[in-house]
Amino acid sequence: MAGFISRETIDAVEKTADIVSVVGEYVRLEQRGSDWWGCCPFHSEKTPSFHVMPDKNMYYCFGCHAGGSPIKFIMEMEKIAFPEAVSQLAKKSGIEIKYEVGSSEIPKEDNKKAEYISLYDRTASMFHYILTQTSGGKFALDYIKGRGITDETIEKFKLGYSPADRRWLKTFLRGKNFSDDFLNGSGLFSKKYPDVSFFSDRLMFPIFDRRGQCVAFGGRILRGEGPKYLNSGEMIQYSKRETLFAFNFAKAAIRENKRVIFCEGYMDCIAYHQCGISYAVAPLGTALTAEQVKIIRGFVDTVYLSFDSDGAGQAATRKAILLCRSQGLAVKVIRLKGGKDPAEIMINYGKEALTNAINSAILDDKYLFEVLSHIYPVDTPEGKARAALEFFPYVDALQTDIQKESSLDELGQVFNISPEAVRRDFNNRSEARDRSEPQQSAEKNETRKSVTLDAELRAMLAVTAKPDLFSRMSGILTPGDFQNPDAQKIFIVLQECSQRGDLNLDSIVNSVEEPVLRQRMMTSLASGEFSVNTEQTVEDGVQFVIKNNLERKRDGLLARIRSFQPVTPDDEQIMKSLLQQKMDIDKKLKSSKKEQTWIRN
């Protein structure tokens, strides 16, 4: 039976994985000196505070305090466990994955996700073959080519066809030695009738993750009755809220162009790509989600929305505008003319028409003014009031006061409302909404913890910056020598990591349980607070801890004297020894010229 991933494999991954390359797959980074900076993928910001340090092979955000190693970054971004993150980075670097018991086989109990990805990849290839190479799929192939999609695009997106016989797929996969239990949990079959395929007689759109692995399907009906589209449900390998159709094809172009197009669906997205506009992606059977916006937020300056012009499309556009604006992104809306969708425009007018539509996209506030003018009679006081109330959530979503002020001014100009009236209504509504928030904030502040940054904690933060110096410290000090509980906790963590042969930055940080202490440690490391003269800083720290211990022992003896307790000859000898040791330490500290650094609080 296979065991845990070996320490040898983990060490190889930690040594090989380059933090800049790993983070660069998700965040647009710019180099400043020897380090790299970008906007944090874990929280919304416009000014980059996300710091990537190649020399430490770690990242840290000064805004939300997220930080760690390449493995930790992959865990947080992909929402996966430690073994899976190690495996992913190992495969990318060509490192053989070994296990504690010597097996190089991936443990099945830990790798169901990978097994389902393999199943979906094979199924996608099979559906693609049926579409392109068999008579049974010819009518579906004729349909997709009639929509203007070329053989090259069909191959790129691996489009397929699921057979009309609803029992064929289960029989076929059983013949490939897949168990019924495994297949029944795959999402490819009806839960009520396990031998019946979930997708049948449909044009199939494989859904790939960012690494190009098939994790789900969308299926479009071409004949008969039923829902126009069926989409895979949530699976261990697939979360529709956190996946974007075609992102694996689009991510390079998104980074290069600093823009993205969010489309209505699969066909719209494919049409854009076929026309060379390869920074288009689509949500997956749901409205655009905050998680999907976060996927692209680190790469883009502007989001383009290309949704239908009907009522549902307008509602989706307005929701997407608020979502993107709340995450600090500029938004433009593409208005298509000459066809109901990008594929139709591509057929009728060619790719130039789509390019022109993008270049003519309007700012989101202009779009909202147009929509509201059609919904409400803005030539009446009641219509103006209702239109303004619907526009106010957009103002709320803006991230700066200048943006808010400008939008309110424009609202007044467009609908011929006085600026004073616009601000009065906006502020009255905002004040009523916000009245309950101060109490909530006060409650949060009451539970907030702090870290006392004294000489002891400085010593531990310094040794954390260079863990190989811990052997010197641990040979002199013990946990009981520390008075600061935070310093003591870090010492114990270092001690435990050292004992299990795991004394590296990532293990140390992850072993610190209290968020506020871990945050202070990461801030110290990221700022380079102890990157200069680290050895001397650690040495001075050790001496200060010893000095503090001596003073505590001395104070204990003096307390006994003051309470008229008899002083023994041993006590007198100890007092002399303590005084001599303290004098020696004071002399050493003065010579290092660092005393003022360590005694400040």
Side-chain angles (χ1 to χ4, degrees):
M1 178 179 177
F4 295 105
I5 294 177
S6 69
R7 183 72 247 173
E8 177 188 352
T9 300
I10 296 171
D11 289 343
V13 168
E14 290 175 339
K15 183 178 180 181
T16 306
D18 174 52
I19 190 66
V20 176
S21 298
V22 171
V23 174
E25 286 288 314
Y26 303 80
V27 180
R28 191 175 79 223
L29 297 173
E30 295 182 1
Q31 190 169 14
R32 300 180 194 168
S34 60
D35 294 343
W36 298 75
W37 293 81
C39 289
C40 180
F42 303 116
H43 81 288
S44 178
E45 63 177 9
K46 296 207 73 174
T47 303
S49 63
F50 190 78
H51 186 194
V52 178
M53 296 154 280
D55 60 327
K56 297 182 176 70
N57 210 31
M58 65 171 283
Y59 66 94
Y60 180 72
C61 176
F62 287 94
C64 70
H65 311 296
S69 68
I71 296 174
K72 179 70 175 299
F73 183 83
I74 292 296
M75 289 172 64
E76 295 294 330
M77 288 300 299
E78 299 284 352
K79 304 295 189 295
I80 56 179
F82 179 82
E84 193 175 353
V86 173
S87 297
Q88 181 175 315
L89 289 172
K91 290 175 183 176
K92 187 173 182 179
S93 301
I95 296 171
E96 181 184 2
I97 302 173
K98 297 179 180 179
Y99 297 88
E100 292 295 349
V101 296
S103 171
S104 60
E105 295 296 323
I106 299 175
K108 289 186 178 181
E109 63 270 24
D110 296 331
N111 207 47
K112 184 169 282 189
K113 177 178 177 180
E115 290 180 343
Y116 278 133
I117 289 174
S118 177
L119 171 66
Y120 273 72
D121 269 332
R122 294 176 66 174
T123 304
S125 296
M126 180 184 60
F127 286 158
H128 180 67
Y129 175 82
I130 294 172
L131 175 72
T132 58
Q133 304 297 324
T134 71
S135 58
K138 187 176 185 306
F139 88 97
L141 185 63
D142 290 342
Y143 167 82
I144 197 70
K145 287 189 174 181
R147 296 290 305 273
I149 305 303
T150 64
D151 288 335
E152 182 182 6
T153 302
I154 292 170
E155 184 68 29
K156 174 182 176 180
F157 284 87
K158 212 172 185 177
L159 303 184
Y161 169 72
S162 57
D165 181 353
R166 303 193 69 183
R167 296 181 182 273
W168 179 86
L169 181 60
K170 190 67 166 284
T171 302
F172 176 83
L173 293 175
R174 279 175 178 152
K176 299 297 181 181
N177 297 319
F178 289 103
S179 71
D180 279 357
D181 285 344
F182 178 74
L183 293 175
N184 293 344
S186 68
L188 292 173
F189 302 94
S190 166
K191 291 182 179 179
K192 189 173 182 180
Y193 305 103
D195 288 345
V196 173
S197 297
F198 183 72
F199 300 100
S200 62
D201 198 21
R202 287 177 178 266
L203 178 66
M204 299 300 290
F205 297 87
I207 297 166
F208 302 102
D209 64 14
R210 66 174 63 240
R211 296 183 297 281
Q213 302 174 126
C214 183
V215 294
F217 288 108
R220 189 193 193 285
I221 196 168
L222 299 180
R223 58 191 178 186
E225 296 182 355
K228 183 177 180 180
Y229 278 97
L230 284 179
N231 299 287
S232 293
E234 298 289 308
M235 285 283 295
I236 188 174
Q237 80 278 6
Y238 172 62
S239 168
K240 65 178 62 179
R241 293 184 61 84
E242 299 175 355
T243 309
L244 286 166
F245 180 74
F247 181 69
N248 58 308
F249 300 118
K251 59 185 180 182
I254 290 172
R255 278 198 294 265
E256 181 180 348
N257 292 277
K258 299 182 181 180
R259 60 170 65 174
V260 65
I261 298 174
F262 284 125
C263 304
E264 183 84 13
Y266 307 124
M267 285 298 297
D268 294 350
C269 186
I270 289 171
Y272 275 118
H273 278 258
Q274 184 166 299
C275 291
I277 304 166
S278 51
Y279 46 86
V281 297
L284 294 156
T286 62
L288 186 67
T289 68
E291 292 85 353
Q292 290 166 337
V293 174
K294 287 179 182 177
I295 293 172
I296 57 86
R297 187 181 63 202
F299 301 115
V300 306
D301 296 327
T302 306
V303 168
Y304 289 75
L305 301 178
S306 180
F307 296 146
D308 289 349
S309 58
D310 58 14
Q314 286 185 9
T317 300
R318 289 159 70 184
K319 180 180 177 182
I321 287 171
L322 299 184
L323 194 57
C324 294
R325 281 293 186 178
S326 69
Q327 298 202 33
L329 296 170
V331 182
K332 290 187 175 182
V333 179
I334 298 171
R335 295 178 296 180
L336 299 176
K337 297 179 181 178
K340 67 180 188 320
D341 57 38
E344 190 171 294
I345 293 172
M346 175 184 68
I347 293 175
N348 294 337
Y349 302 102
K351 67 179 183 180
E352 292 80 10
L354 285 180
T355 301
N356 291 337
I358 295 169
N359 293 336
S360 302
I362 62 172
L363 289 171
D364 49 359
D365 57 348
K366 303 291 191 301
Y367 170 83
L368 291 174
F369 290 140
E370 288 184 5
V371 171
L372 293 173
S373 296
H374 284 93
I375 295 176
Y376 300 108
V378 293
D379 56 344
T380 68
E382 292 79 9
K384 291 179 181 181
R386 294 180 68 183
L389 284 173
E390 282 228 25
F391 186 75
F392 287 158
Y394 171 79
V395 181
D396 289 329
L398 299 175
Q399 298 298 292
T400 70
D401 289 340
I402 293 175
Q403 289 175 320
K404 293 177 188 288
E405 287 287 321
S406 298
S407 292
L408 290 173
D409 286 342
E410 193 166 4
L411 172 64
Q413 293 171 12
V414 171
F415 293 148
N416 194 23
I417 310 170
S418 72
E420 294 78 12
V422 170
R423 281 173 174 74
R424 195 159 48 243
D425 278 4
F426 178 76
N427 291 330
N428 288 342
R429 178 197 58 95
S430 298
E431 288 169 6
R433 180 198 60 205
D434 294 339
R435 263 192 280 270
S436 63
E437 292 185 2
Q439 179 63 33
Q440 295 173 357
S441 299
E443 291 173 359
K444 290 180 181 179
N445 288 335
E446 286 177 4
T447 61
R448 189 172 298 160
K449 295 182 179 180
S450 61
V451 171
T452 301
L453 189 59
D454 60 6
E456 291 187 352
L457 185 55
R458 289 177 187 278
M460 296 316 305
L461 292 175
V463 79
T464 301
K466 196 169 184 180
D468 58 333
L469 296 175
F470 182 66
S471 58
R472 154 70 178 160
M473 178 179 281
S474 61
I476 300 172
L477 303 178
T478 67
D481 292 329
F482 293 88
Q483 291 296 295
N484 185 323
D486 290 326
Q488 186 181 69
K489 288 171 187 173
I490 296 178
F491 186 93
I492 293 172
V493 164
L494 288 163
Q495 197 174 51
E496 291 173 348
C497 289
S498 178
Q499 289 171 353
R500 62 175 183 259
D502 198 16
L503 194 61
N504 61 73
L505 189 59
D506 192 40
S507 296
I508 295 167
V509 172
N510 289 333
S511 297
V512 176
E513 295 181 357
E514 290 190 42
V516 68
L517 182 57
R518 185 167 58 248
Q519 172 187 322
R520 182 61 184 88
M521 180 185 292
M522 293 299 298
T523 302
S524 171
L525 292 167
S527 65
E529 187 176 356
F530 299 108
S531 60
V532 179
N533 297 324
T534 310
E535 292 87 349
Q536 186 60 56
T537 303
V538 172
E539 178 64 26
D540 287 349
V542 170
Q543 296 301 322
F544 264 102
V545 172
I546 295 173
K547 176 184 175 181
N548 289 341
N549 271 323
L550 294 174
E551 289 177 345
R552 283 194 297 273
K553 292 177 181 178
R554 179 200 63 192
D555 292 343
L557 287 173
L558 291 175
R560 289 177 61 186
I561 293 172
R562 293 192 186 100
S563 62
F564 301 104
Q565 294 183 18
V567 178
T568 67
D570 288 341
D571 290 339
E572 293 178 351
Q573 187 60 39
I574 291 172
M575 180 66 80
K576 290 179 181 178
S577 176
L578 291 175
L579 290 172
Q580 184 59 52
Q581 290 180 59
K582 183 178 180 303
M583 290 170 60
D584 293 342
I585 291 173
D586 286 340
K587 184 176 180 181
K588 178 183 274 190
L589 288 171
K590 286 178 181 178
S591 66
S592 75
K593 298 182 180 179
K594 286 217 166 245
E595 185 166 9
Q596 294 304 313
T597 300
W598 284 96
I599 61 174
R600 73 178 188 268
N601 288 325

